[in-house]
Each structure stands twice: as C-alpha cells, then as structure tokens.
Amino acid sequence: MTKKKCIIIGSGLGGLSCGVILARNGYDVTVLEQHYQIGGCLQCFTRKGAKFETGMHFIGSAAPGQTLYKLMRYLNLDDIQLSQLDTLGYDVISIGGDKFKFANGRVPFIEQMSGYFPKEKDNLVLYYDIIEKIAQASSMHSLRYAENDIVVNTFYQTISINEVLEDLFQDKLLRDVLIGNLPLYAAEKDKTPFSQHAFIMDFYNQSAFRVVGGSDRIASSLADTICKFGGKVIPNSKVTKIFCNDTQATGIEVNNEEFISADLIIADIHPARVMEMLDTKLIRPAFRNRISGLKNTTAGFSVYLKFKDSKVPYLNSNYYSFNSGTPWGCENYTESTWPKGYLYMHFCNEVNPKFASSGVILSYMNMEDVSRWEGTSIGHRGESYELFKKQKAEILINEVNKEFPGFKESIDSHYTATPLTYLDYTGTQDGSMYGVAKDITLGAACRVPHKTKVPNLLLTGQNINSHGMLGVLVGSIVTCSELLTAETIYQKIIETNK
C-alpha cells in the first residue's frame, strides 16, 4: 500500500510531534523548516560557551505516571534528561518585597499558602478543588478520551480569572499571589478565562522540571524519531505557497521555486501566515478577516545572561517579581513605568547544578516599542536599535540586582532579544509570546479551529488548544485525531506506558 504523503509546515513542537504520531502510524512525513535550526520555541543558541533557551524554559507534569510523562514516552522522548525544580517552591512570587512560594502537590500547596494566609485556608481548599475539577473535566488533559464534562469546560472558559478569584477570596494579596505566574500565559484582567489559569496551575503543580542541556534536545529527539520511521525533517525550506484545486490542497511551494505534492498538509505556524499562503475560494473572506484580526498575546523582551564561573548559586525556582504591587496590567506601561514586572530563571546544564552558568530575565514588551525597526533583519537594525536594547537591558539587570545583591557584578556578558527577534525566528504575529490570546469577551471568535475549509489542510501548534508543552501536545493529538481517531492515539499512549 502506498503511504499517504504528509507535508508539515514548521518544525516547532506541534509540527514535530504531529510528525512523530503520523510517521509511526504509516504516513510518509516531511517536515519543512524555514530556518537553518529546527525547533521553533524549542530552539537554543550558544554565546561564549554558554547555552540559552529561547522559549520553553521549564515543563510540568513530567514525573512518572503523570500526563506529560506518558506523552513523552509515547513520543519516544525517554532520552530527555530532566532536573526537578524545588518541590517546596518551584515558583517564587515577589510582590512589594514579600515573597511567596508555590509547592508541588495538593496538600503541600494548600498548607504552604495557608501559612501565608491562615484565614483563607478553607477557600484555598475550594480553589484547589476547582483547579482539579477543571483539569479532570478535560479528556485531553486527563488522557481519558471517553470522559469529558462539557458543562464544566464551557463554564470556566467563559468566566475570567479575576472574577473567580474575587468570588473565592477576600484577601487581595492572596488573589495577586495566585496569579503571580501569569507571565507564563500573558493573562489579562477581565479577559483571560479561568480555565487557562487552572490548566497552567494543575500542569506545574503536579511537578516542575527543567530540561537538562536545553529544550533543543526535545526537537532533536523528535526529529530523530521521525527519521527512524522513514520521514524527513528539512531545514532552510520556507514554504511560500499552498496550492489548491477546486476541492482540496494539492501541494506546496518551497523557497518560491520548488513544488512538492502532498496528500495532506499540516501547518505549525501562525494561522495568519497560513492564510497568506492560500489562494483559494475554499477559504471564505469572512474567515480570512477573522484570522487576520485575531488579537495575540503580548510580546516580550529577553536579557540572556552569561555568569562568571562559580559566582551565581543555581536558582532551583522560577522567580517572578512585580514592583507595581500586582501582576495584573504589566502589559500596560509607559516608558517611565517599564518594567512593571519580570521573570528571572537559570538554565540547567546538569542535574541539580551547584552554580548557574547562564540565565534569562523576561519582561513584557509591546511590538509598538520596536515598530520603527520593522522591515529590518537581525544584525542589521542599526545603532539606534542597539542603543535601545542596551538601555532596556540595563534597566532589567538593575531591577534584578535590587532583589539579588551582587547579581550585576556576577555577569560576564549579556545578550538581548526583542519582539522583532521573536517575529523573525517564529513568524508569530506581532512577536507574540504565546500566539492568539484567549478572551472571554470575544467568545468563540478568538478560537482557532484545527480544521480548515480545505479538507486536507489542518492546523497545529500553540494557537490550537493552548501553548506550552502540554497544551501544544494536546493540540497535536486533536489535529492527528482527524486522521487516526482520538481513541486510537490514546490506546497507543496507554500501551506505551504499560
């Protein structure tokens, strides 16, 4: 039997994981990547011997028996080495000089948070009950394909994070602490659904790990598996057009010249980029307009740090700091109030290192701040751009130094990335950190379907379902379920983990 030929556009986690699932189920898979390096947000880079991650800095639910652990085994990611974050404080939230830790596990989390807020203990139990209820209501997140509570899912997809927290807790500081990790999903007040907060909290509260040696090892491992099953992963191959006849897609154009036929196409890129590649009446103008008008999550500014040898003790937590008194509204700033907050993390080169060799400071930055340099390319944006980055980096470094005295003197060198950098390397609209924003005020209008009106063109990646490692992998299952059925995939996940 001739294998069906599948072209996957983009080698991010969504594209590579779809490639593995389909290749091991008999498809002839070719993954095309426009850059010389595969991986999308899994990419890493090296400067002066120090390695830096660009997108996926830590993962959750990866302990034996947990959801991501099972998915990683199914995807042949057994070779990925992990280093667990502090179970009593995988996240540290700093607000107004006070610090609060998130502990892994239901009982430790509630007990530790109740120590900070003893009057709210009963409400913290209710809060955790809701988190678990939402996570388990999703068949995709619980990996029980036959179970799904539509009522629970729908309700918490239509109510905001702050609305639920305000209903549960009297203490405003506690409400702010509980959303202290919102830079992980760029939540906005009155807009982001509580379900997204719940999935994030459940994902990391189960367990939290860093990938030893960098997240690009995940990309390399997935690519190796695709090749093992007869597929191909080809860099420096930018898809410039998707061809269609009157009923379906027929193939793609690479680098404006080569035509490659396909029985099936999966796009692991921003849906707006997909619409630009399509010249077909199968996609209606109204849908094109909706996709092009989707609001994306805010972008970010990164300062990558190479430390002097044996100078910075390894921080086995993620450190979130907010100088404006609340995590809400950090995306709304002026030149004088930026940054309202930041996330500071170290990279992990070995299991439980004693000292850190590199790290990163992340803060929100809107595309408007760098729009004057749009249309330029990396390394050729001019002196004014370099000065802009230098000034912003100094501000962030000084902010971290306030909470970690001696930090500034321990830096050997640093490097920066703006929303333009992210746009160039990922192609995501506006350099957005997490793609299309979830917004309860827009209802279904902000959701991107995995199916298109071109029957053999499917979408995957962070804009489908959700971002992050678990969100993207669940989206990959949704996409591949159109071809294999969800039951088939889940049964194979279960068999792999016996």
Side-chain angles (χ1 to χ4, degrees):
M1 183 186 298
T2 303
K3 289 184 176 182
K4 285 191 175 181
K5 189 174 182 179
C6 174
I7 297 291
I8 298 177
I9 306 171
S11 68
L13 177 61
L16 291 173
S17 56
C18 281
V20 169
I21 294 170
L22 295 180
R24 66 186 297 169
N25 281 279
Y27 283 77
D28 177 7
V29 172
T30 299
V31 182
L32 300 175
E33 169 57 47
Q34 66 174 339
H35 291 296
Y36 66 87
Q37 184 178 4
I38 67 168
C41 294
L42 296 171
Q43 291 180 58
C44 296
F45 68 94
T46 302
R47 296 288 185 274
K48 293 178 67 174
K51 192 172 185 180
F52 303 99
E53 292 170 308
T54 62
M56 190 168 293
H57 304 295
F58 66 107
I59 60 176
S61 295
Q66 294 177 351
T67 303
L68 187 59
Y69 175 88
K70 294 176 181 178
L71 290 175
M72 290 179 70
R73 291 200 66 193
Y74 172 66
L75 293 169
N76 286 3
L77 289 171
D78 307 71
D79 57 330
I80 301 301
Q81 190 175 22
L82 303 177
S83 181
Q84 188 160 16
L85 293 174
D86 185 354
T87 58
L88 296 178
Y90 65 93
D91 278 351
V92 178
I93 315 298
S94 175
I95 300 178
D98 294 324
K99 297 174 177 59
F100 308 87
K101 294 182 178 181
F102 288 178
N104 287 125
R106 177 189 174 93
V107 173
F109 181 89
I110 292 173
E111 289 301 317
Q112 185 153 272
M113 203 55 61
S114 298
Y116 303 130
F117 304 95
K119 294 181 180 179
E120 296 275 21
K121 183 171 184 178
D122 290 344
N123 294 327
L124 282 163
V125 172
L126 292 175
Y127 166 78
Y128 210 101
D129 287 344
I130 295 172
I131 297 295
E132 292 185 325
K133 182 179 180 182
I134 294 170
Q136 292 306 310
S138 168
S139 61
M140 294 297 181
H141 285 77
S142 63
L143 296 183
R144 293 193 296 268
Y145 70 90
E147 298 179 24
N148 192 308
D149 192 326
I150 296 175
V151 174
V152 171
N153 277 326
T154 301
F155 177 74
Y156 287 105
Q157 286 172 359
T158 58
I159 187 169
S160 70
I161 297 171
N162 51 289
E163 190 173 353
V164 173
L165 296 182
E166 287 164 8
D167 186 56
L168 280 172
F169 303 109
Q170 294 294 317
D171 195 307
K172 179 183 180 300
L173 179 57
L174 173 56
R175 298 197 298 263
D176 283 338
V177 169
L178 292 175
I179 50 97
N181 62 359
L182 63 73
L184 296 179
Y185 51 113
E188 293 187 48
K189 196 171 187 178
D190 299 322
K191 293 182 178 181
T192 306
F194 186 79
S195 59
Q196 190 165 18
H197 169 81
F199 286 134
I200 293 290
M201 292 297 286
D202 177 75
F203 179 50
Y204 291 112
N205 198 255
Q206 296 295 321
S207 61
F209 298 84
R210 292 198 174 116
V211 179
V212 176
S215 56
D216 59 349
R217 297 195 173 184
I218 295 173
S220 296
S221 180
L222 291 170
D224 288 345
T225 299
I226 291 171
C227 295
K228 174 185 173 183
F229 284 97
K232 297 185 287 277
V233 180
I234 308 174
N236 297 310
S237 300
K238 182 176 182 178
V239 176
T240 46
K241 190 170 183 179
I242 300 172
F243 291 95
C244 299
N245 59 24
D246 292 339
T247 59
Q248 63 179 19
T250 57
I252 52 93
E253 176 187 75
V254 179
N255 298 327
N256 291 306
E257 51 185 31
E258 181 186 2
F259 173 79
I260 302 177
S261 63
D263 300 306
L264 168 69
I265 299 171
I266 297 177
D268 178 29
I269 56 177
H270 195 282
R273 303 287 80 77
V274 179
M275 294 301 106
E276 293 168 357
M277 296 175 182
L278 280 167
D279 182 13
T280 174
K281 293 181 180 179
L282 294 171
I283 303 294
R284 296 176 181 175
F287 183 77
R288 290 181 184 274
N289 293 335
R290 182 170 80 80
I291 294 299
S292 64
L294 287 170
K295 181 186 175 184
N296 294 279
T297 57
T298 187
F301 180 77
S302 304
V303 182
Y304 298 100
L305 309 153
K306 175 179 169 22
F307 299 122
K308 296 175 182 176
D309 291 342
S310 303
K311 288 292 184 182
V312 179
Y314 178 69
L315 181 63
N316 202 27
S317 306
N318 309 303
Y319 192 87
Y320 307 78
S321 178
F322 303 95
N323 58 27
S324 61
T326 177
W328 290 121
C330 290
E331 71 280 3
N332 301 315
Y333 56 82
T334 64
E335 187 172 351
S336 62
T337 60
W338 185 91
K340 290 185 174 181
Y342 64 81
L343 167 56
Y344 171 49
M345 295 173 288
H346 289 167
F347 298 123
C348 184
N349 296 322
E350 58 182 311
V351 176
N352 300 320
K354 184 177 180 181
F355 293 98
S357 60
S358 58
V360 65
I361 315 168
L362 300 169
S363 189
Y364 289 162
M365 178 174 282
N366 298 315
M367 187 57 134
E368 290 77 9
D369 292 9
V370 292
S371 59
R372 74 194 96 161
W373 296 289
E374 281 192 77
T376 59
S377 59
I378 293 174
H380 303 280
R381 305 199 198 277
E383 291 184 11
S384 60
Y385 179 73
E386 296 303 321
L387 178 61
F388 170 85
K389 293 197 298 177
K390 180 181 179 182
Q391 291 172 339
K392 295 298 183 182
E394 288 176 352
I395 292 172
L396 272 179
I397 288 171
N398 287 332
E399 286 294 314
V400 176
N401 196 66
K402 292 176 184 177
E403 300 200 62
F404 294 86
F407 163 81
K408 189 173 182 178
E409 289 72 32
S410 301
I411 299 172
D412 174 84
S413 55
H414 70 268
Y415 313 90
T416 55
T418 74
L420 285 175
T421 317
Y422 202 71
L423 174 63
D424 285 347
Y425 279 103
T426 68
T428 195
Q429 195 90 337
D430 301 324
S432 163
M433 290 193 291
Y434 308 120
V436 175
K438 306 293 190 296
D439 187 340
I440 63 170
T441 66
L442 298 176
C446 68
R447 298 188 190 123
V448 179
H450 63 282
K451 294 192 292 184
T452 72
K453 291 296 183 181
V454 180
N456 60 337
L457 171 62
L458 302 173
L459 306 179
T460 195
Q462 68 176 359
N463 299 292
I464 311 304
N465 183 63
S466 186
H467 67 283
M469 189 161 183
L470 181 59
V472 170
L473 292 182
V474 169
S476 295
I477 292 174
V478 171
T479 299
C480 292
S481 293
E482 285 298 314
L483 309 164
L484 305 172
T485 77
E487 182 177 359
T488 298
I489 297 173
Y490 285 133
Q491 286 294 345
K492 292 193 175 184
I493 293 172
I494 292 169
E495 289 171 9
T496 302
N497 284 276
K498 283 182 179 178

